[in-house]
């Protein structure tokens, strides 16, 4: 495991840049028509992230975790420096947090300190996103999903975790479920936060008959529609890269909510700059996402078709924002399929898709209670 123990990430960016250049040779010619004057780099991403992580008060270990194939997963481990457990007491099951599409570890800034009060918390950038390696992803949906899940299992082995409480948001929830199906002995409790990719796409012949019901269960916001209109032809975030120096402005225009969600922590564009630099790099994880998705973000391999493969004894909690564009009806359906004894569906009032940032105190309280139920 390639690691650096610091209070904030201090990894050598020259090494990171060199690695990315080597690993992204496959795409350099293909995307050469994009403007080379995009105001981004891994160094700028590190700078934006470092400002965010400086808010963490507990012990922070930030490092790259090297996988057997030499890919590297950018990883944070946060633990409570004030807690000194007796040596005879068994350590508590760690919480592992997996971000959603286009995100990164910095988005958990409202949650890491609170959730690490009594147990270690690990958060990592998914393969192909944030500061993690950006390898080639296949165009086949099943193979792309397998590459994501394999990287999570290799990460777990490299970090040395026997088991974990696994939490995934949006795309991270979809991948966390796939992981739990394949490696059930490693997951003590599965927490899915506004998970993407669960419902089946309504068949064309039924859409007219469904009418208002279809609108009620899936009403995506404007930025989702914009991305969806691009997905058919390009990678989902191609417009951000193609916009060159106007890219940061596009993020501010289409996602002003990110600035508002964190305005008490940062009075500038720190969060939208972070989102921009996470997604203005060479596309990789979003290529994998595109392979797995259909128009308007439906999954080609809906998770509701496989949720029955989770062990019946595995506790699953599905958290939804009460005003999210993702319908909690998929959670209700999952509970019906699995049996409600081990599947709980909860709504967080006044929260949209980014539940953890909209209502962080309530979110942290719910997740902490779930963790305490494990040990």
């Amino acid at each position: 495991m390639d690691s650096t123990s610091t209070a904030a990430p201090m990894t050598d960016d020259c090494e990171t840049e060199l690695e990315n250049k080597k690993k992204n040779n496959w795409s350099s010619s293909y995307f050469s028509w994009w403007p080379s004057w995009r105001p981004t780099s891994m160094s700028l991403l590190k700078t934006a992230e470092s400002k965010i992580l400086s808010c963490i008060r507990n012990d922070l270990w930030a490092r790259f975790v090297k996988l057997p194939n030499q890919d590297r997963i950018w990883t944070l481990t946060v633990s409570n420096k004030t807690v000194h457990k007796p040596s005879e007491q068994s350590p508590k099951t760690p919480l592992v947090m997996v971000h959603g599409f286009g995100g990164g570890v910095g988005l958990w800034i409202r949650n890491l300190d609170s959730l690490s009060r009594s147990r270690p918390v690990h958060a990592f950038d998914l393969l192909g996103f944030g500061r993690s390696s950006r390898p080639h992803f296949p165009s086949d949906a099943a193979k792309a999903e397998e590459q994501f899940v394999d990287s999570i299992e290799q990460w777990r082995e490299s970090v040395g975790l026997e088991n974990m409480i696994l939490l995934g948001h949006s795309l991270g929830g979809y991948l966390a479920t796939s992981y739990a199906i394949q490696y059930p002995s490693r997951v003590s409790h599965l927490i899915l936060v506004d998970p993407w990719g669960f419902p089946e796409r309504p068949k064309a012949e039924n859409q007219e008959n469904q009418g208002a019901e279809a609108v009620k269960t899936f009403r995506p916001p404007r930025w989702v529609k914009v991305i969806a209109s691009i997905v058919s032809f390009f990678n989902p975030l191609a417009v951000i890269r193609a916009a060159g120096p106007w890219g940061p402005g596009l993020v501010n225009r289409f996602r002003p909510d990110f600035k508002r969600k964190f305005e008490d922590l940062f009075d500038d564009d720190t969060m939208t700059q972070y989102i921009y630099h996470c997604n203005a790099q060479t596309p990789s994880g979003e290529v994998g996402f595109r392979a797995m998705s259909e128009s308007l973000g439906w999954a080609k391999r809906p998770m509701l078709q496989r949720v029955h493969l989770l062990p019946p004894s595995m506790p699953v909690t599905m958290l939804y924002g009460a005003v999210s564009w993702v319908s909690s009806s998929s959670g209700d359906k999952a509970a019906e399929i699995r049996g409600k004894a081990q599947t709980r569906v909860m709504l967080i009032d006044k929260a949209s898709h980014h539940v953890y940032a909209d209502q962080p105190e309530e979110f942290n309280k719910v997740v902490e209670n779930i963790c305490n139920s494990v040990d």
Side-chain angles (χ1 to χ4, degrees):
M1 181 169 64
D2 181 17
S3 62
T4 302
S5 179
T6 63
M10 295 294 289
T11 306
D12 186 352
D13 282 293
C14 293
E15 180 184 354
T16 307
E17 298 274 10
L18 180 60
E19 181 198 80
N20 285 331
K21 287 179 181 178
K22 290 179 179 178
K23 286 189 174 293
N24 293 324
N25 281 339
W26 63 272
S27 62
S28 58
S29 60
Y30 185 82
F31 298 106
S32 61
W33 58 272
W34 279 344
S36 59
W37 31 289
R38 282 174 283 144
T40 190
S41 67
M42 280 292 179
S43 180
L44 289 172
L45 172 56
K46 176 189 173 183
T47 299
E49 183 188 81
S50 295
K51 183 175 180 180
I52 295 170
L53 299 185
S54 68
C55 296
I56 294 177
R57 295 294 173 257
N58 281 346
D59 283 341
L60 171 64
W61 183 18
R63 78 279 193 196
F64 286 105
V65 173
K66 188 173 290 185
L67 307 186
N69 65 358
Q70 303 306 304
D71 282 336
R72 301 197 302 171
I73 301 294
W74 180 242
T75 303
L76 308 181
T77 298
V78 186
S79 56
N80 190 345
K81 56 188 174 184
T82 64
V83 175
H84 300 284
K85 304 179 182 65
S87 58
E88 66 273 9
Q89 183 176 338
S90 299
K92 290 196 173 184
T93 305
L95 171 65
V96 175
M97 307 179 76
V98 187
H99 65 80
F101 176 77
V105 294
L107 293 183
W108 301 117
I109 191 58
R110 288 190 173 280
N111 319 110
L112 293 172
D113 269 334
S114 178
L115 295 176
S116 62
R117 285 184 299 191
S118 61
R119 72 188 63 242
V121 174
H122 302 277
F124 60 85
D125 286 343
L126 280 166
L127 187 68
F129 291 100
R131 296 180 64 187
S132 290
S133 296
R134 295 179 174 242
H136 171 70
F137 274 83
S139 58
D140 178 79
K143 292 180 179 178
E145 181 182 327
E146 180 182 7
Q147 185 169 343
F148 278 121
V149 172
D150 285 349
S151 71
I152 296 174
E153 171 60 7
Q154 291 167 9
W155 173 87
R156 181 202 64 78
E157 291 179 339
S158 297
V159 173
L161 301 182
E162 286 299 315
N163 50 53
M164 55 188 159
I165 300 164
L166 185 58
L167 181 153
H169 170 252
S170 197
L171 170 62
Y174 180 90
L175 296 175
T177 307
S178 181
Y179 176 89
I181 290 172
Q182 296 185 51
Y183 303 98
S185 65
R186 304 301 182 183
V187 180
S188 300
H189 197 121
L190 181 62
I191 306 173
L192 307 177
V193 184
D194 246 46
W196 170 85
F198 270 66
E200 299 180 19
R201 184 181 183 185
K203 298 186 183 300
E205 59 269 22
N206 294 331
Q207 286 181 342
E208 290 186 6
N209 295 331
Q210 289 177 337
E213 181 181 355
V215 173
K216 181 179 179 181
T217 58
F218 190 76
R219 185 182 297 163
R222 182 177 62 148
W223 67 267
V224 174
K225 295 178 180 179
V226 171
I227 289 178
S229 67
I230 298 169
V231 167
S232 301
F233 305 100
F234 303 103
N235 292 318
L237 299 171
V239 65
I240 292 177
R241 291 178 291 273
W246 294 282
L250 286 180
V251 175
N252 275 320
R253 178 180 178 185
F254 287 104
R255 299 311 310 269
D257 55 313
F258 271 110
K259 183 175 181 178
R260 291 195 300 268
K261 293 177 195 300
F262 301 92
E263 62 185 359
D264 61 320
L265 297 177
F266 312 102
D267 58 3
D268 55 12
D269 293 334
T270 295
M271 295 307 297
T272 49
Q273 284 290 321
Y274 174 69
I275 292 295
Y276 171 73
H277 291 304
C278 275
N279 295 295
Q281 315 293 327
T282 301
S284 172
E286 67 184 271
V287 173
F289 173 77
R290 183 189 177 196
M292 296 189 301
S293 64
E294 293 186 286
S295 177
L296 273 180
W298 302 94
K300 291 179 180 177
R301 306 176 70 231
M303 196 55 69
L304 282 179
Q305 296 178 354
R306 291 178 280 159
V307 74
H308 68 281
L309 298 175
L310 288 169
S313 61
M314 180 183 292
V316 177
T317 302
M318 305 181 75
L319 303 179
Y320 291 89
V323 292
S324 172
W325 58 273
V326 175
S327 173
S328 61
S329 62
S330 292
D332 296 332
K333 182 64 175 177
E336 291 179 11
I337 294 171
R338 297 192 71 238
K340 296 183 179 180
Q342 291 294 335
T343 309
R344 186 181 182 189
V345 180
M346 300 180 65
L347 298 182
I348 304 295
D349 289 339
K350 300 178 181 179
S352 64
H353 183 52
H354 293 272
V355 186
Y356 57 91
D358 288 331
Q359 296 294 332
E361 291 186 4
E362 181 64 20
F363 174 84
N364 293 340
K365 179 181 177 181
V366 169
V367 173
E368 186 174 16
N369 287 338
I370 293 170
C371 291
N372 290 338
S373 72
V374 174
D375 53 24

